[in-house]
């Protein structure tokens, strides 16, 4: 299950409880060691009952790798793609539209939140081939390797050992990737500006043609620099919203660099399928029904 993109955190364990004071979900997360820290935001363990059977995740500047240890879950990526079932886990490169996770009553998994370029060193194919098309972990790493990894994780002595095991697996699979330095540096410029950058200036600053830069981005992230910038700007805008308080939409749109409220509304619908006011209503529902939940912040109830 995804949560906030580009979110760096120290080790912690969060346990959310429902009204009956029974454990609903355990979420343990920590940052990876170098050199993975330049590719990955955090490693996490998730177990328990999800807050909703179906959760919508708006597209953010991050990818996701999940090794599933429980019953299969389902993913629907975009309205034109059929829902797929994932028993061993999934790999999701940076999406361009919202996708929906469907969960069993109890879920258990070990996952990795990656930076936009972070999956490239672990993929046997260009990221563009997976854009908005999640695949199983077996399709990426092969059935024998994934079966062995799942067995080791399932018999590990607690969440922290599980995170060490997935980290070790990633360290073993880490390989050199042509163009990664260029894409990582340019993406960092985009991120630092919250997506408010002149795309033409990026290739000039990098000393390459705009065509070459776009090609590298498509290969390693799956999207163009322009699309990445839009996603960073949208994410920064969403994180600036306090759903518990009053919202000045005109001021928010202006401070985020949108041309006007119409442009802002169009981008919001393109990313979430919701109007800004409807988005806040759904966020408030989550806060009201599951206050303090470990997964609040990015996922939205889809039911």
């Amino acid at each position: 299950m995804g949560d906030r993109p580009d979110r760096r955190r120290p080790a912690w364990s969060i346990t959310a409880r429902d009204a009956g004071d029974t454990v609903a979900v355990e979420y343990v997360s920590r940052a990876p060691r170098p050199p993975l820290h330049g590719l990955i935001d955090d490693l996490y363990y998730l177990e328990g009952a999800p807050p909703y059977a179906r959760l919508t995740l708006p597209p953010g500047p991050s990818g996701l790798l999940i090794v599933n240890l429980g019953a299969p879950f389902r993913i629907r990526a975009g309205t034109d793609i059929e829902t797929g079932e994932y028993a061993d886990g999934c790999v999701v490169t940076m999406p361009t539209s919202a996708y929906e996770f469907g969960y069993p009553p109890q879920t258990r998994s070990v996952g990795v939140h990656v930076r936009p370029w972070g999956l490239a060193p672990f993929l046997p194919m260009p990221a563009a081939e997976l854009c908005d098309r999640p695949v199983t972990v077996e399709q990426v790493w092969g059935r024998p390797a994934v079966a062995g990894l799942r067995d080791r994780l399932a018999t590990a002595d607690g969440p922290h050992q599980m995170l060490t095991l997935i980290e070790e697996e990633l360290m073993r699979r880490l390989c050199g990737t042509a163009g990664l330095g260029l894409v990582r540096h340019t993406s960092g410029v985009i991120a630092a500006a919250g997506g408010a950058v002149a795309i033409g200036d990026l290739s000039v600053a990098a000393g390459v043609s705009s065509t070459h830069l776009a090609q590298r981005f498509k290969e390693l992230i799956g999207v163009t620099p322009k699309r990445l910038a839009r996603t960073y700007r949208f994410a920064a805008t969403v994180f600036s919203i306090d759903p518990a308080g009053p919202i000045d939409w005109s001021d928010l749109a202006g401070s985020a660099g949108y041309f006007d409220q119409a442009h802002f509304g169009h981008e919001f619908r393109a990313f979430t399928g919701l109007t800004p006011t409807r988005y806040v209503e759904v966020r408030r529902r989550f806060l009201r029904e599951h206050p303090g939940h470990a997964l609040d912040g990015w996922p939205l109830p889809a039911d």
Side-chain angles (χ1 to χ4, degrees):
M1 184 182 301
D3 96 323
R4 289 190 180 186
D6 255 358
R7 190 173 172 183
R8 299 299 301 276
R9 294 173 285 202
W12 78 46
S13 176
I14 298 178
T15 301
R17 298 178 182 273
D18 63 21
D21 200 35
T22 58
V23 174
V25 64
E26 182 180 15
Y27 187 90
V28 181
S29 168
R30 71 170 172 82
R33 294 174 295 157
L36 294 179
H37 69 302
L39 303 168
I40 294 169
D41 284 323
D42 71 328
L43 315 164
Y44 73 87
Y45 170 78
L46 174 69
E47 180 177 9
Y52 300 95
R54 295 185 302 127
L55 285 170
T56 296
L57 277 75
S62 65
L64 184 64
L65 185 152
I66 299 174
V67 179
N68 188 40
L69 303 175
F73 54 80
R74 301 177 70 82
I75 302 177
R76 185 183 185 190
T79 57
D80 60 338
I81 299 177
E82 293 185 3
T83 301
E85 186 171 273
Y86 297 78
D88 68 284
C90 68
V91 175
V92 181
T93 57
M94 200 193 93
T96 65
S97 60
Y99 55 102
E100 181 184 290
F101 268 78
Y103 283 94
Q106 293 288 322
T107 189
R108 186 170 184 248
S109 62
V110 177
V112 185
H113 293 118
V114 301
R115 296 172 183 272
W117 57 88
L119 282 172
F122 308 104
L123 296 177
M125 71 284 285
E129 293 184 13
L130 306 184
C131 185
D132 294 328
R133 295 187 179 276
V135 294
T136 66
V137 185
E138 288 183 356
Q139 288 174 283
V140 175
W141 288 348
R143 178 169 296 181
V146 174
L149 175 60
R150 293 178 73 202
D151 286 344
R152 294 195 299 275
L153 290 171
T155 57
D157 185 19
H160 291 288
Q161 186 179 5
M162 289 180 171
L163 299 187
T164 297
L165 288 171
I166 191 68
E167 183 178 54
E168 291 173 349
E169 182 72 21
L170 292 166
M171 290 286 285
R172 283 194 296 269
R173 292 182 174 277
L174 184 62
C175 61
T177 305
L180 184 62
L182 169 66
V183 171
R184 178 177 170 178
H185 174 75
T186 306
S187 297
V189 174
I190 294 172
V197 294
I199 302 302
D201 293 344
L202 295 174
S203 58
V204 174
V208 298
S209 70
S210 58
T211 301
H212 178 79
L213 186 64
Q215 181 180 1
R216 285 302 193 193
F217 265 67
K218 292 280 284 185
E219 290 173 354
L220 303 187
I221 297 179
V223 300
T224 64
K226 182 177 181 179
R227 180 71 204 199
L228 181 64
R230 284 180 60 195
T231 305
Y232 266 114
R233 181 166 60 175
F234 170 75
T237 304
V238 168
F239 290 147
S240 70
I241 296 173
D242 177 8
I247 302 170
D248 185 329
W249 292 112
S250 178
D251 180 66
L252 185 67
S255 61
Y258 292 102
F259 299 129
D260 50 35
Q261 269 191 267
H263 180 212
F264 175 70
H266 178 271
E267 284 290 271
F268 228 97
R269 286 188 293 274
F271 276 90
T272 67
L274 305 172
T275 65
T277 52
R278 178 56 183 159
Y279 167 83
V280 171
E281 290 173 359
V282 176
R283 280 293 316 282
R284 286 171 177 167
R285 175 191 168 193
F286 197 125
L287 291 171
R288 183 176 64 254
E289 295 177 346
H290 298 279
H293 199 283
L295 301 178
D296 175 47
W298 195 251
L300 301 169
D303 297 324

